[in-house]
Amino acid sequence: MAAQLGSGLDLESLRELINVRLAQLVPEGHPKGPAAAARHSLLAPGKRLRAIITLIASRSHGGTIEDALDAACAIEMIHTSSLVFDDLPAMDDADLRRGVPTAHSEYGQDIAILAGIGLINGAYEIVAQAPSLEAERRIEILRIITRAVGWQGLVHGQALDLNSGENTASLDAIHEGKTGALFIAAAECGGVASGNCSDQDRRALRAYGRALGLAYQAFDDVLDQTACEATAGKTTGMDEGKSTAALGGRASIDGGTALANKHLDNAVRAVGKDKPLALLAEFIRGYFAKTIAA
Amino acid sequence: MAAQLGSGLDLESLRELINVRLAQLVPEGHPKGPAAAARHSLLAPGKRLRAIITLIASRSHGGTIEDALDAACAIEMIHTSSLVFDDLPAMDDADLRRGVPTAHSEYGQDIAILAGIGLINGAYEIVAQAPSLEAERRIEILRIITRAVGWQGLVHGQALDLNSGENTASLDAIHEGKTGALFIAAAECGGVASGNCSDQDRRALRAYGRALGLAYQAFDDVLDQTACEATAGKTTGMDEGKSTAALGGRASIDGGTALANKHLDNAVRAVGKDKPLALLAEFIRGYFAKTIAA
């Protein structure tokens, strides 16, 4: 993933910045302990898309990358925590993630659970002490992220998805909870971190995050049907029997791609064509088209 | 548990206040979903000791009960979350807790895990929006709690305890992480919520919380050796094979009780004889003596 997004931003540099900071934010700990398991999952090659959204959203509203870096890393830690939990045998029972064994495959379920707790807790700890933000901005970011994770966010989306077949949740409702909620939070937190974000700007960022999240999840479902593990870097074909698959199965691969492109159009419209966040959406469009073609 | 603690404080009223507020803080949700599972574990009869410490610590430093109530409930939600996770089959595999089936026994492991995540996340959400505290106090409370949970707190203590036999962790180190960390945070958060707490006061509160936590854990280990499930309200005899049991087994029941009483003496000394927090420590001494005798 290397692309120019205007305003001197390029994806590769942003991702490197995030990776360096993430490695500072979780201690090494005992080699078989929860911190080591958390680092194993957190520092495995990830696209860092959510964190990158936060950084670009801050820059787009006159903030600095530094202002938003710890909030961005917190979002990424929350995301990794959700992967560690979702991959557990009691959930999706996956062996592979980001091209490496899942945390419980490598460290055992007990330590993986503690790693997941440590990551979610650590995310909030980092925002609570973010050096470049005053207390009000830290609190606002914490409110945004906790709402995204909570009873109406990630936790809710995963519960809907687990309850396959028996519920009437729409595919969009599941995706909005499982993926959209954190994309929305990522965009909005960047705006808040900038310190220059009106209520209208925040609404636009939420609309952008929502649309990008839905696009991302739609592409991911297409990939899950088509890709081999080597391409996806995670256990694939896992969604069989889950609500997303039951509902997604109706749509052809072409249909899924068209749906994703529609959501990307909405994302671009929310922030304005040629803006850095819009260029990011276009980059994602190209990246997935290339991956699906391969 | 009914006792007068001076200053118009009695345990029963404080506990009732906490229970009412806790029931407001977690939504009902779908009857088989994570919020329902969280309420099942959270609202089961608990002693609410950690939350009560927070309330009394606030009052003892000139704050109100209301100032500290949401912080106290957050501590209680973190505690319940740790129980939900610790009781999972991959950890202690317990069926009974607080006199009711554990969350995973009743709702399944997947939903129990989501309930645990929802509770820890909800705790931070509540502090981040605590209506009676300004942003700086909320942030300080969040820093205290996240530190208590994190890589050197509960997560660390549970990892030490799981790693039975093979490590050189002392019993005190395990207890300090598993129990002490949250007792310390409970006391210190109350002081911070009051808005009237000097650095010296905070040190005293931490010393109190640490000593009370060690006493509590020592009594709990004695009870685990002696009590039946009906008395303890949870699956007992579970600690066999764990570090705490391996190390605790050296001591007789009398030895464990003497150790707990020594820690309680330290707790009383930290805050001053006849102060409300000291009276709470004395109440705990009497409560456990009576329970062990029975």
Side-chain angles (χ1 to χ4, degrees):
Chain A
M1 219 201 261
Q4 299 300 319
L5 302 174
S7 310
L9 296 166
D10 79 280
L11 282 183
E12 203 51 65
S13 309
L14 293 178
R15 195 160 56 160
E16 181 59 18
L17 199 65
I18 293 158
N19 286 337
V20 168
R21 184 66 181 142
L22 284 174
Q24 295 168 346
L25 290 173
V26 178
E28 304 262 349
H30 187 282
K32 291 181 178 174
R39 289 177 69 91
H40 165 86
S41 293
L42 183 67
L43 305 180
K47 292 186 275 299
R48 312 298 183 209
L49 185 52
R50 294 158 187 79
I52 287 169
I53 292 169
T54 304
L55 298 184
I56 299 178
S58 172
R59 235 335 236 288
S60 301
H61 290 85
T64 65
I65 297 295
E66 288 66 34
D67 286 342
L69 186 56
D70 282 3
C73 288
I75 297 267
E76 199 59 34
M77 287 167 69
I78 296 276
H79 173 53
T80 300
S81 169
S82 78
L83 300 180
V84 168
F85 284 119
D86 288 2
D87 287 338
L88 286 171
M91 301 268 207
D92 294 354
D93 196 12
D95 301 326
L96 197 65
R97 173 71 75 172
R98 291 178 172 169
V100 300
T102 48
H104 68 90
S105 308
E106 188 82 10
Y107 292 85
Q109 284 191 61
D110 47 1
I111 294 298
I113 291 169
L114 292 173
I117 299 170
L119 282 167
I120 188 172
N121 182 75
Y124 297 131
E125 184 171 24
I126 285 154
V127 176
Q129 58 192 33
S132 62
L133 304 176
E134 78 279 15
E136 277 79 8
R137 267 191 278 176
R138 295 183 207 175
I139 284 292
E140 194 54 28
I141 289 168
L142 285 164
R143 294 179 68 164
I144 292 167
I145 304 178
T146 51
R147 201 182 316 132
V149 173
W151 309 115
Q152 291 303 317
L154 284 175
V155 164
H156 181 60
Q158 177 69 3
L160 288 180
D161 197 22
L162 286 167
N163 187 19
S164 61
E166 293 174 34
N167 68 68
T168 55
S170 72
L171 187 60
D172 273 8
I174 296 170
H175 283 175
E176 178 130 5
K178 279 201 73 168
T179 308
L182 204 52
F183 272 83
I184 294 169
E188 195 173 11
C189 283
V192 170
S194 78
N196 284 307
C197 203
S198 69
D199 285 351
Q200 192 181 338
D201 292 336
R202 284 175 68 166
R203 271 195 299 276
L205 286 170
R206 287 197 298 267
Y208 172 85
R210 180 172 183 278
L212 205 71
L214 289 169
Y216 191 78
Q217 188 69 54
F219 275 130
D220 202 52
D221 286 347
V222 172
L223 280 183
D224 194 74
Q225 292 173 56
T226 59
C228 65
E229 294 190 357
T231 314
K234 62 181 178 180
T235 312
T236 53
M238 298 296 302
D239 292 344
E240 269 182 66
K242 292 173 72 181
S243 300
T244 37
L247 294 158
R250 297 180 313 209
S252 67
I253 289 169
D254 285 354
T257 306
L259 180 70
N261 281 322
K262 190 197 78 175
H263 289 310
L264 285 177
D265 294 342
N266 290 338
V268 170
R269 204 170 300 124
V271 292
K273 202 162 171 292
D274 297 331
K275 293 287 168 60
L277 286 172
L279 296 177
L280 178 65
E282 296 299 353
F283 173 80
I284 290 167
R285 195 195 303 272
Y287 172 81
F288 273 101
K290 215 171 55 184
T291 311
I292 289 168
Chain B
M1 218 201 263
Q4 298 300 318
L5 301 173
S7 312
L9 297 166
D10 78 279
L11 282 183
E12 204 52 65
S13 310
L14 293 178
R15 195 161 54 161
E16 180 58 19
L17 201 65
I18 292 158
N19 286 336
V20 168
R21 185 67 181 143
L22 285 174
Q24 296 167 345
L25 291 173
V26 178
E28 304 262 349
H30 187 283
K32 291 182 177 173
R39 288 176 70 90
H40 165 87
S41 293
L42 183 66
L43 305 180
K47 291 186 276 301
R48 312 299 182 208
L49 186 52
R50 293 157 187 80
I52 287 169
I53 291 170
T54 304
L55 298 184
I56 300 178
S58 171
R59 230 346 228 286
S60 301
H61 289 85
T64 66
I65 297 295
E66 287 67 33
D67 287 342
L69 186 56
D70 282 3
C73 288
I75 297 265
E76 199 60 34
M77 287 167 69
I78 295 277
H79 173 54
T80 300
S81 170
S82 78
L83 300 179
V84 168
F85 284 119
D86 288 1
D87 286 338
L88 287 171
M91 302 267 207
D92 293 354
D93 195 12
D95 300 325
L96 196 66
R97 172 73 74 173
R98 289 177 172 169
V100 299
T102 49
H104 68 90
S105 308
E106 188 82 9
Y107 293 84
Q109 283 190 62
D110 47 3
I111 295 297
I113 290 169
L114 292 173
I117 299 170
L119 282 168
I120 187 172
N121 181 75
Y124 295 133
E125 184 171 23
I126 285 155
V127 176
Q129 58 193 33
S132 63
L133 304 175
E134 78 279 14
E136 277 79 9
R137 267 192 278 176
R138 296 183 206 175
I139 283 292
E140 193 55 27
I141 289 168
L142 285 164
R143 294 179 68 164
I144 291 167
I145 304 179
T146 51
R147 202 182 315 130
V149 173
W151 309 115
Q152 292 303 315
L154 284 175
V155 165
H156 181 62
Q158 177 69 1
L160 288 179
D161 197 21
L162 286 167
N163 187 19
S164 61
E166 292 174 34
N167 68 67
T168 54
S170 73
L171 188 60
D172 272 8
I174 296 170
H175 284 174
E176 179 131 4
K178 279 201 72 168
T179 308
L182 204 51
F183 272 84
I184 294 169
E188 195 173 10
C189 284
V192 170
S194 79
N196 284 308
C197 202
S198 69
D199 286 352
Q200 192 181 339
D201 292 335
R202 285 175 66 166
R203 270 195 300 277
L205 286 171
R206 286 197 298 268
Y208 172 84
R210 180 172 184 278
L212 204 71
L214 289 169
Y216 191 78
Q217 188 70 53
F219 275 129
D220 202 52
D221 287 347
V222 171
L223 281 183
D224 194 76
Q225 292 174 56
T226 59
C228 66
E229 294 189 358
T231 313
K234 62 180 179 180
T235 312
T236 52
M238 297 296 302
D239 293 343
E240 270 183 66
K242 292 173 73 181
S243 299
T244 36
L247 293 158
R250 296 180 314 209
S252 67
I253 290 170
D254 285 354
T257 307
L259 180 69
N261 281 321
K262 189 197 78 176
H263 289 310
L264 286 178
D265 294 342
N266 290 338
V268 169
R269 204 170 300 124
V271 291
K273 202 162 171 295
D274 296 329
K275 293 287 168 61
L277 286 172
L279 295 178
L280 177 65
E282 296 300 353
F283 174 79
I284 291 167
R285 195 196 304 269
Y287 172 81
F288 273 101
K290 214 171 58 185
T291 311
I292 289 168

